[in-house]
Coordinates of all heavy atoms in Angstrom, one line a residue:
M1 N 90.2 120.5 96.3 CA 89.3 119.3 96.1 C 90.0 118.0 96.2 O 91.1 117.8 95.6 CB 88.6 119.5 94.7 CG 87.6 120.6 94.7 SD 86.8 120.7 93.0 CE 86.0 119.2 92.9
K2 N 89.4 117.1 96.8 CA 90.0 115.8 96.9 C 89.2 114.8 96.2 O 88.0 114.7 96.3 CB 90.1 115.3 98.4 CG 91.2 116.0 99.2 CD 91.3 115.4 100.6 CE 92.4 116.0 101.3 NZ 92.5 115.4 102.7
N3 N 89.9 114.0 95.4 CA 89.2 112.9 94.7 C 89.6 111.6 95.4 O 90.8 111.3 95.4 CB 89.6 112.9 93.2 CG 89.0 114.0 92.5 OD1 87.9 114.5 92.8 ND2 89.8 114.6 91.6
K4 N 88.7 110.9 95.9 CA 89.0 109.6 96.5 C 88.9 108.5 95.5 O 88.0 108.4 94.7 CB 88.0 109.3 97.7 CG 88.5 109.8 99.0 CD 87.7 109.2 100.1 CE 88.3 109.5 101.5 NZ 87.6 109.0 102.6
I5 N 90.0 107.7 95.6 CA 90.0 106.5 94.7 C 89.7 105.3 95.6 O 90.3 105.1 96.6 CB 91.4 106.4 94.0 CG1 91.6 107.6 93.1 CG2 91.5 105.1 93.3 CD1 93.0 107.6 92.5
I6 N 88.8 104.5 95.1 CA 88.5 103.2 95.8 C 89.2 102.1 94.9 O 89.0 102.0 93.7 CB 87.0 103.0 95.9 CG1 86.4 104.1 96.7 CG2 86.7 101.6 96.5 CD1 84.9 104.1 96.7
W7 N 89.9 101.3 95.6 CA 90.6 100.2 95.0 C 89.8 98.9 95.3 O 89.7 98.5 96.4 CB 92.0 100.1 95.5 CG 92.8 101.3 95.2 CD1 93.1 102.3 96.0 CD2 93.5 101.6 93.9 NE1 93.9 103.3 95.3 CE2 94.1 102.8 94.1 CE3 93.6 100.9 92.7 CZ2 94.9 103.4 93.0 CZ3 94.3 101.5 91.7 CH2 95.0 102.7 91.9
A8 N 89.4 98.2 94.2 CA 88.6 97.0 94.4 C 89.3 95.8 93.8 O 89.9 95.9 92.7 CB 87.2 97.2 93.7
C9 N 89.3 94.7 94.5 CA 89.9 93.5 94.1 C 89.2 93.0 92.8 O 88.0 93.0 92.7 CB 89.8 92.5 95.2 SG 90.4 90.8 94.7
S10 N 90.0 92.8 91.8 CA 89.5 92.3 90.5 C 89.0 90.9 90.6 O 88.3 90.4 89.7 CB 90.5 92.5 89.4 OG 91.7 91.8 89.6
D11 N 89.5 90.1 91.6 CA 89.1 88.7 91.7 C 87.7 88.6 92.3 O 86.8 87.9 91.8 CB 90.1 88.0 92.5 CG 91.2 87.5 91.6 OD1 91.4 88.0 90.5 OD2 92.0 86.6 92.0
C12 N 87.5 89.2 93.5 CA 86.3 89.0 94.3 C 85.4 90.3 94.3 O 84.3 90.3 94.7 CB 86.6 88.5 95.7 SG 87.4 89.8 96.7
G13 N 86.0 91.4 94.0 CA 85.2 92.7 94.0 C 85.2 93.4 95.3 O 84.5 94.5 95.4
S14 N 85.9 92.9 96.3 CA 85.9 93.6 97.6 C 86.7 95.0 97.4 O 87.7 95.0 96.8 CB 86.6 92.8 98.6 OG 85.8 91.7 98.9
R15 N 86.1 96.0 98.1 CA 86.7 97.3 98.1 C 87.6 97.4 99.3 O 87.1 97.7 100.4 CB 85.7 98.4 98.1 CG 84.8 98.3 96.8 CD 83.8 99.4 96.8 NE 83.1 99.4 95.5 CZ 82.2 100.4 95.1 NH1 82.0 101.4 95.9 NH2 81.6 100.3 94.0
N16 N 88.9 97.2 99.1 CA 89.8 97.0 100.2 C 90.5 98.3 100.6 O 90.9 98.4 101.7 CB 90.8 95.9 99.9 CG 90.1 94.6 99.6 OD1 89.2 94.2 100.3 ND2 90.5 93.9 98.5
Y17 N 90.8 99.2 99.6 CA 91.6 100.3 99.9 C 91.0 101.6 99.3 O 90.3 101.5 98.3 CB 93.0 100.1 99.3 CG 93.7 98.9 99.9 CD1 93.7 97.7 99.2 CD2 94.4 99.0 101.1 CE1 94.3 96.6 99.7 CE2 95.1 97.9 101.6 CZ 95.0 96.7 100.9 OH 95.7 95.6 101.4
T18 N 91.2 102.7 100.0 CA 90.9 104.0 99.5 C 92.1 104.9 99.6 O 92.9 104.8 100.6 CB 89.7 104.6 100.2 OG1 90.1 104.8 101.6 CG2 88.5 103.8 100.0
T19 N 92.3 105.7 98.6 CA 93.4 106.6 98.6 C 92.9 108.0 98.1 O 91.9 108.1 97.4 CB 94.6 106.2 97.7 OG1 94.1 106.0 96.4 CG2 95.2 104.9 98.2
D20 N 93.6 109.0 98.5 CA 93.3 110.4 98.0 C 94.1 110.6 96.7 O 95.3 110.5 96.7 CB 93.6 111.4 99.0 CG 92.7 111.4 100.2 OD1 91.5 111.0 100.0 OD2 93.1 111.7 101.3
N21 N 93.4 111.0 95.7 CA 94.1 111.3 94.5 C 94.3 112.8 94.3 O 93.4 113.6 94.0 CB 93.3 110.8 93.3 CG 94.0 111.0 92.0 OD1 95.2 111.2 91.9 ND2 93.2 111.0 90.9
R22 N 95.5 113.3 94.6 CA 95.8 114.7 94.5 C 96.5 115.1 93.2 O 96.4 116.2 92.8 CB 96.7 115.1 95.7 CG 95.9 115.4 97.0 CD 96.8 115.8 98.1 NE 97.5 114.7 98.7 CZ 98.4 114.8 99.6 NH1 98.7 116.0 100.1 NH2 99.1 113.8 100.1
E23 N 97.1 114.1 92.6 CA 97.8 114.3 91.4 C 97.0 113.7 90.2 O 96.4 112.6 90.4 CB 99.2 113.8 91.4 CG 100.1 114.4 92.4 CD 101.5 113.9 92.5 OE1 101.9 113.2 91.5 OE2 102.2 114.1 93.4
K24 N 96.9 114.4 89.2 CA 96.0 114.0 88.1 C 96.6 112.9 87.3 O 95.8 112.0 86.9 CB 95.7 115.2 87.2 CG 94.9 116.3 87.9 CD 94.6 117.4 86.9 CE 93.8 118.5 87.6 NZ 93.6 119.6 86.7
S25 N 97.8 112.9 86.9 CA 98.3 112.0 85.9 C 99.1 110.9 86.4 O 99.3 109.9 85.6 CB 99.1 112.8 84.9 OG 100.2 113.4 85.6
S26 N 99.6 110.9 87.6 CA 100.6 109.9 88.0 C 100.0 108.7 88.6 O 100.7 107.8 89.0 CB 101.6 110.5 89.0 OG 100.9 110.9 90.2
E27 N 98.7 108.6 88.7 CA 98.1 107.4 89.3 C 97.9 106.3 88.3 O 97.6 106.5 87.2 CB 96.7 107.8 89.8 CG 96.7 108.7 91.0 CD 97.2 108.1 92.3 OE1 97.1 106.8 92.3 OE2 97.6 108.8 93.2
R28 N 98.2 105.1 88.8 CA 98.0 103.9 88.0 C 96.6 103.5 88.0 O 95.8 103.8 89.0 CB 98.9 102.8 88.6 CG 100.4 103.0 88.5 CD 101.1 101.8 89.0 NE 102.5 102.0 89.3 CZ 103.3 101.2 89.9 NH1 102.8 100.0 90.4 NH2 104.5 101.4 90.1
L29 N 96.2 102.8 87.0 CA 94.8 102.3 87.0 C 94.7 101.0 87.8 O 93.6 100.6 88.2 CB 94.4 102.0 85.5 CG 94.3 103.3 84.7 CD1 94.0 103.0 83.2 CD2 93.2 104.2 85.2
T30 N 95.7 100.2 87.9 CA 95.7 99.0 88.7 C 96.9 98.9 89.6 O 98.0 99.4 89.2 CB 95.7 97.8 87.8 OG1 96.9 97.8 87.0 CG2 94.4 97.7 86.9
I31 N 96.7 98.3 90.7 CA 97.8 98.1 91.7 C 97.7 96.7 92.2 O 96.6 96.1 92.3 CB 97.9 99.1 92.8 CG1 96.6 99.2 93.5 CG2 98.3 100.5 92.3 CD1 96.6 100.0 94.8
K32 N 98.8 96.1 92.7 CA 98.7 94.8 93.4 C 98.7 95.1 94.9 O 99.6 95.7 95.4 CB 99.9 94.0 93.0 CG 99.7 93.1 91.8 CD 100.5 91.8 91.8 CE 100.0 90.8 90.9 NZ 100.8 89.5 91.0
K33 N 97.6 94.6 95.5 CA 97.5 94.7 96.9 C 97.0 93.4 97.6 O 96.5 92.6 96.9 CB 96.4 95.8 97.2 CG 97.0 97.2 97.0 CD 97.7 97.8 98.2 CE 97.8 99.3 98.2 NZ 98.4 99.8 99.4
Y34 N 97.1 93.4 98.9 CA 96.7 92.2 99.6 C 95.1 92.3 99.8 O 94.6 93.3 100.2 CB 97.3 92.1 101.0 CG 96.8 90.9 101.8 CD1 97.3 89.6 101.5 CD2 95.9 91.1 102.8 CE1 96.8 88.6 102.3 CE2 95.5 90.1 103.6 CZ 95.9 88.8 103.3 OH 95.4 87.7 104.0
C35 N 94.5 91.2 99.5 CA 93.0 91.1 99.6 C 92.7 90.1 100.7 O 93.2 89.0 100.7 CB 92.4 90.7 98.3 SG 90.6 90.4 98.5
K36 N 91.9 90.6 101.7 CA 91.6 89.7 102.9 C 90.7 88.6 102.4 O 90.8 87.4 102.9 CB 90.9 90.5 103.9 CG 91.8 91.4 104.7 CD 91.0 92.2 105.7 CE 91.9 93.2 106.4 NZ 91.2 94.0 107.4
S37 N 89.8 88.9 101.5 CA 88.8 87.9 101.0 C 89.5 86.8 100.3 O 89.2 85.6 100.4 CB 87.7 88.5 100.2 OG 87.1 89.5 100.9
C38 N 90.4 87.1 99.4 CA 91.2 86.1 98.6 C 92.3 85.6 99.4 O 92.9 84.5 99.0 CB 91.7 86.8 97.3 SG 90.4 87.4 96.2
N39 N 92.7 86.2 100.5 CA 93.9 85.8 101.3 C 95.1 85.7 100.4 O 96.0 84.8 100.5 CB 93.6 84.5 101.9 CG 94.7 84.2 103.0 OD1 95.2 85.1 103.7 ND2 95.0 82.9 103.3
A40 N 95.3 86.7 99.5 CA 96.4 86.7 98.6 C 96.6 88.1 98.0 O 95.7 88.9 98.1 CB 96.2 85.7 97.5
H41 N 97.7 88.3 97.4 CA 97.9 89.6 96.6 C 97.2 89.5 95.3 O 97.5 88.5 94.5 CB 99.4 89.9 96.4 CG 100.0 90.5 97.7 ND1 100.3 89.8 98.7 CD2 100.3 91.8 98.0 CE1 100.9 90.6 99.7 NE2 100.8 91.8 99.2
T42 N 96.3 90.4 95.0 CA 95.6 90.4 93.7 C 95.7 91.8 93.1 O 96.1 92.8 93.7 CB 94.1 90.0 93.9 OG1 93.5 91.0 94.8 CG2 94.0 88.6 94.6
V43 N 95.3 91.9 91.8 CA 95.2 93.1 91.2 C 94.0 93.9 91.6 O 92.9 93.4 91.7 CB 95.2 92.9 89.6 CG1 95.0 94.2 88.9 CG2 96.4 92.2 89.1
H44 N 94.2 95.1 92.0 CA 93.1 96.0 92.4 C 92.9 97.1 91.4 O 93.9 97.7 90.9 CB 93.3 96.6 93.8 CG 93.2 95.6 94.9 ND1 94.0 94.6 95.1 CD2 92.3 95.6 95.9 CE1 93.6 93.9 96.1 NE2 92.6 94.5 96.7
Q45 N 91.7 97.4 91.1 CA 91.3 98.3 90.0 C 90.6 99.5 90.7 O 89.9 99.4 91.6 CB 90.4 97.7 89.0 CG 91.1 96.6 88.2 CD 90.2 96.0 87.2 OE1 89.0 95.9 87.4 NE2 90.8 95.7 86.0
Q46 N 90.8 100.7 90.0 CA 90.1 101.9 90.5 C 88.6 101.8 90.2 O 88.2 101.4 89.2 CB 90.7 103.1 89.8 CG 92.0 103.5 90.2 CD 92.5 104.9 89.6 OE1 91.6 105.6 89.1 NE2 93.7 105.1 89.6
T47 N 87.9 102.2 91.3 CA 86.4 102.4 91.1 C 86.1 103.7 91.6 O 86.8 104.3 92.4 CB 85.6 101.3 91.8 OG1 85.9 101.3 93.2 CG2 86.0 99.9 91.2
K48 N 84.9 104.2 91.2 CA 84.5 105.6 91.7 C 83.7 105.4 93.0 O 83.1 104.5 93.2 CB 83.7 106.2 90.6 CG 84.5 106.8 89.5 CD 83.7 107.6 88.5 CE 84.5 108.2 87.4 NZ 83.8 108.9 86.5
Ligands
ZN1 ZN1 89.8 89.6 96.5

C-alpha cells in the first residue's frame, strides 16, 4: 500500500509537492521547499 503525502505551502496553501510515504516513522511533518506562488522557500506541511 502506498500512502501519498501532499506538501502544501504554509504561507499561501498551494499544494506544490507529493511524495510516497513508504516508511511510517521517518517522515517529517514539515519541510522547507520552493514555492512558485511565493517565489521563495517556505515551510510546507503535510496534508492528506
Ligand atoms: Zn506559497
Side-chain angles (χ1 to χ4, degrees):
M1 286 177 66
K2 281 186 179 178
N3 291 323
K4 266 196 176 178
I5 295 175
I6 299 169
W7 298 96
C9 174
S10 62
D11 277 15
C12 69
S14 291
R15 296 181 175 188
N16 300 314
Y17 299 95
T18 57
T19 56
D20 289 329
N21 183 20
R22 279 181 284 176
E23 297 181 18
K24 290 180 181 177
S25 58
S26 63
E27 292 288 339
R28 295 181 192 171
L29 293 175
T30 60
I31 54 172
K32 268 206 162 185
K33 285 273 200 178
Y34 177 77
C35 176
K36 289 180 183 176
S37 299
C38 297
N39 195 31
H41 280 79
T42 61
V43 175
H44 286 64
Q45 296 179 323
Q46 286 188 21
T47 61
K48 283 186 178 179

